[in-house]
Amino acid sequence: MTSIEAGIDVALAKQVLEAALLSTTEPVSNAVLRRLFEPDIGADMICRLLTDLQQDWHGRSAELVRLASGWRFQTRADLQLYLDRLKETRAPRYSRAVLETLAIIVYRQPVTRGDIEDIRGVTVSSQIVKLLETRGWIDTIGHRDTPGRPALYATTKQFLDDLGLRSLSELPPLAELEGVLDLVDTAEAASSTPAEQPEPSGTAGGQQVTQ
């Protein structure tokens, strides 16, 4: 991409985008980023600039990634092991019940609470549903047209953002989660601390860049 293209100072435009994305920890959509420029430089140019900026950051300690809600800078996942050593407290864990409920919603959505209970074979605690809603990972998207009109649950863009994904198609096969749930069982058996509590805000695929 040339430094001057179609009357646009590309180098300056990339700096503006870079500054805007580094100033926030939340993903920013293309539509919002277009508001940085007057006159509007268009969706195609924004995409080209972001792709170019993504290449500029390739191989550095932080990277520009595209998520479900937009673009965000975050530290590379392979460096998270070192950054975790700076944390004074361990991240809370989720119980198998929470993870199973979330997995059912993720892979079978939209589902009702009754659907989840039929699949798991046990009653779903209201606290589990509330926990996932509070975390911003699930939301009510409607009601099934059956007696009682039960709520239909589905995952949110926040869920994808926190996992560093752009869409549900990037999730691993359901069978691969069985090993994860087995590890949760092992951890629960070795610990007497409650596991069903909210997790701190952040991403599963890399730490957000903060100022």
Side-chain angles (χ1 to χ4, degrees), residues 38-53:
E38 291 185 1
D40 183 9
I41 63 176
D44 290 342
M45 178 57 70
I46 285 288
C47 288
R48 293 176 63 186
L49 291 171
L50 288 169
T51 300
D52 200 31
L53 187 60

Side-chain angles (χ1 to χ4, degrees), residues 71-89:
W71 296 78
R72 177 176 67 197
F73 276 108
Q74 61 186 41
T75 51
R76 294 202 331 252
D78 59 315
L79 300 178
Q80 192 59 44
L81 170 66
Y82 304 95
L83 300 181
D84 286 343
R85 296 170 183 169
L86 297 178
K87 297 179 180 179
E88 297 182 357
T89 58

Side-chain angles (χ1 to χ4, degrees), residues 88-102:
E88 297 182 357
T89 58
R90 294 191 307 170
R93 298 186 300 272
Y94 289 113
S95 70
R96 184 184 181 101
V98 171
L99 295 179
E100 282 185 348
T101 300
L102 177 60

Side-chain angles (χ1 to χ4, degrees), residues 18-176:
E18 184 178 57
L21 290 166
L22 285 172
S23 67
T24 179
T25 59
E26 299 299 322
V28 186
S29 68
N30 288 25
V32 172
L33 291 172
R34 287 175 62 178
R35 287 160 44 191
L36 293 167
F37 304 97
E38 291 185 1
D40 183 9
I41 63 176
D44 290 342
M45 178 57 70
I46 285 288
C47 288
R48 293 176 63 186
L49 291 171
L50 288 169
T51 300
D52 200 31
L53 187 60
Q54 190 175 45
Q55 290 298 317
D56 292 345
W57 280 76
H58 180 71
R60 299 175 64 176
S61 58
E63 58 187 355
L64 178 59
V65 297
R66 187 174 185 181
L67 304 173
S69 299
W71 296 78
R72 177 176 67 197
F73 276 108
Q74 61 186 41
T75 51
R76 294 202 331 252
D78 59 315
L79 300 178
Q80 192 59 44
L81 170 66
Y82 304 95
L83 300 181
D84 286 343
R85 296 170 183 169
L86 297 178
K87 297 179 180 179
E88 297 182 357
T89 58
R90 294 191 307 170
R93 298 186 300 272
Y94 289 113
S95 70
R96 184 184 181 101
V98 171
L99 295 179
E100 282 185 348
T101 300
L102 177 60
I104 292 170
I105 297 173
V106 169
Y107 289 92
R108 299 291 183 88
Q109 59 185 302
V111 293
T112 66
R113 185 169 169 178
D115 295 332
I116 299 170
E117 292 177 344
D118 288 342
I119 295 172
R120 292 193 64 222
V122 295
T123 301
V124 176
S125 167
S126 298
Q127 292 181 339
I128 292 179
V129 176
K130 184 64 176 178
L131 168 63
L132 295 175
E133 289 178 325
T134 301
R135 186 62 181 81
W137 283 350
I138 68 170
D139 199 4
T140 301
I141 62 169
H143 294 80
R144 181 169 292 170
D145 190 16
T146 57
R149 293 184 55 80
L152 286 167
Y153 297 107
T155 53
T156 64
K157 285 187 176 181
Q158 181 68 50
F159 169 76
L160 293 173
D161 290 344
D162 285 354
L163 265 65
L165 304 175
R166 293 176 58 180
S167 69
L168 291 170
S169 63
E170 296 179 356
L171 285 166
L174 182 58
E176 293 185 11

